[in-house]
Amino acid sequence: MGPANVRLNPIGAAACFAFGLCMVIYIFGFPDWFQKEQKISLKELLSVSIALVERGGNRVRDIREGNTLAEKSKGKTKEGADEVLTEGDMESHRAIVYGFAKTFPGLQVISEESDIRPVSFKLIDNVNSKNDEVDKLIKNDMSVPFNKVTVWVDPLDATQEYKGYKTLEVIEGRADAYVHTTRIKKWDICAGNAILSAFHGKMTTLEGAFIDYSSRREVVNNNGLLATLFDHYKYLEQHIAKPMEHNKEKR
């Protein structure tokens, strides 16, 4: 019997290779060098944030003027204070969170409120990603990976005091420090923290650690906070750490 000739079908070979490649990608995912890292412009993010905050504020104002706040309690904090939810909360939440979702798909946004109501992005107005004042004040833009950015949202409701107000008192020199000794939600302090940092001030826990806003799983800062514009660690040591240690010794 003579030798058999084997001829490789190029179409079949290509199909087998493609199938094998698909299986490898399905099991192991795309290699890092194959994936293009998605980035976001910080100037555009700031401009969109300003536009969405204004949109959320307008929703709250309309509800206030229409006397349709529909206030109800979500429960109580560990300190015994009522946690209030209003229609203004939800409308502001929807305006801001869904606006971010439409403008920057995939951006991590953490809001005080949650909404299980389905939403159609067709019903959400587009957001202008350009702001003249931002362009005037910030000449150089910076783009960072999406996975390095987390946006925290505390919808406006005007039912209680604003935590950011206390930080502004420090920035404007009407208070030496803002001290909070109990647990506090990060969406209540992140905006004030950002503004304080821009003025070279500091906000830390009462243990002196900077507050981490990167985690979606931990939305509560359990270790109190100290916000100052000057002499932060000196103030922390003299007025916070030593009295706390003294109280522990007395127990």
Side-chain angles (χ1 to χ4, degrees):
M1 184 175 180
N5 292 325
V6 178
R7 180 175 295 177
L8 190 64
N9 186 321
I11 297 177
C16 289
F17 176 78
F19 177 76
L21 180 61
C22 289
M23 289 300 297
V24 170
I25 292 174
Y26 176 77
I27 296 172
F28 299 104
F30 283 102
D32 293 339
W33 54 265
F34 192 81
Q35 300 183 50
K36 185 177 180 180
E37 190 173 45
Q38 190 177 10
K39 293 189 175 183
I40 185 171
S41 159
L42 292 185
K43 281 184 68 172
E44 287 189 6
L45 178 60
L46 178 58
S47 299
V48 169
S49 298
I50 293 171
L52 291 178
V53 167
E54 291 176 347
R55 183 180 294 182
N58 289 336
R59 297 281 179 86
V60 172
R61 183 191 60 200
D62 293 342
I63 289 172
R64 273 284 188 186
E65 291 177 351
N67 198 27
T68 57
L69 204 58
E71 184 175 312
K72 59 183 179 182
S73 176
K74 295 188 291 185
K76 291 185 178 293
T77 66
K78 283 190 174 182
E79 293 76 34
D82 282 325
E83 286 195 293
V84 178
L85 175 67
T86 71
E87 188 59 27
D89 275 310
M90 292 308 303
E91 285 300 315
S92 178
H93 161 86
R94 290 164 186 151
I96 297 172
V97 172
Y98 295 154
F100 274 125
K102 182 172 183 177
T103 310
F104 301 114
L107 179 66
Q108 179 170 246
V109 178
I110 303 174
S111 175
E112 178 181 10
E113 312 303 342
S114 58
D115 187 11
I116 60 174
R117 188 179 72 178
V119 61
S120 171
F121 284 159
K122 293 180 180 179
L123 302 177
I124 299 174
D125 293 335
N126 292 325
V127 184
N128 188 0
S129 61
K130 299 294 182 182
N131 181 289
D132 292 339
E133 188 172 3
V134 171
D135 288 338
K136 181 180 179 181
L137 294 175
I138 304 176
K139 301 301 182 183
N140 298 319
D141 194 6
M142 179 184 295
S143 294
V144 297
F146 259 58
N147 60 8
K148 300 295 184 182
V149 178
T150 302
V151 176
W152 292 77
V153 177
D154 183 13
L156 296 170
D157 62 2
T159 57
Q160 298 190 48
E161 62 171 320
Y162 297 114
K163 303 298 187 298
Y165 173 77
K166 296 177 180 178
T167 306
L168 288 177
E169 291 290 281
V170 173
I171 294 171
E172 294 181 354
R174 289 191 287 267
D176 293 327
Y178 162 35
V179 181
H180 190 90
T181 59
T182 58
R183 66 201 302 268
I184 189 169
K185 304 290 180 60
K186 292 179 182 178
W187 45 65
D188 287 325
I189 57 176
C190 60
N193 195 345
I195 297 172
L196 183 63
S197 296
F199 281 87
H200 306 291
K202 288 183 174 62
M203 180 182 289
T204 68
T205 67
L206 296 181
E207 297 173 349
F210 287 106
I211 299 167
D212 181 9
Y213 295 99
S214 64
S215 174
R216 176 179 287 274
R217 291 172 295 182
E218 185 54 72
V219 300
V220 179
N221 170 41
N222 291 298
N223 300 316
L225 69 85
L226 170 67
T228 63
L229 199 56
F230 306 104
D231 300 323
H232 185 86
Y233 292 106
K234 180 180 178 181
Y235 193 95
L236 187 68
E237 180 181 359
Q238 292 182 352
H239 300 281
I240 305 297
K242 287 183 178 179
M244 288 178 66
E245 189 64 33
H246 177 68
N247 290 336
K248 288 181 181 179
E249 291 175 357
K250 288 178 65 176
R251 293 175 189 169

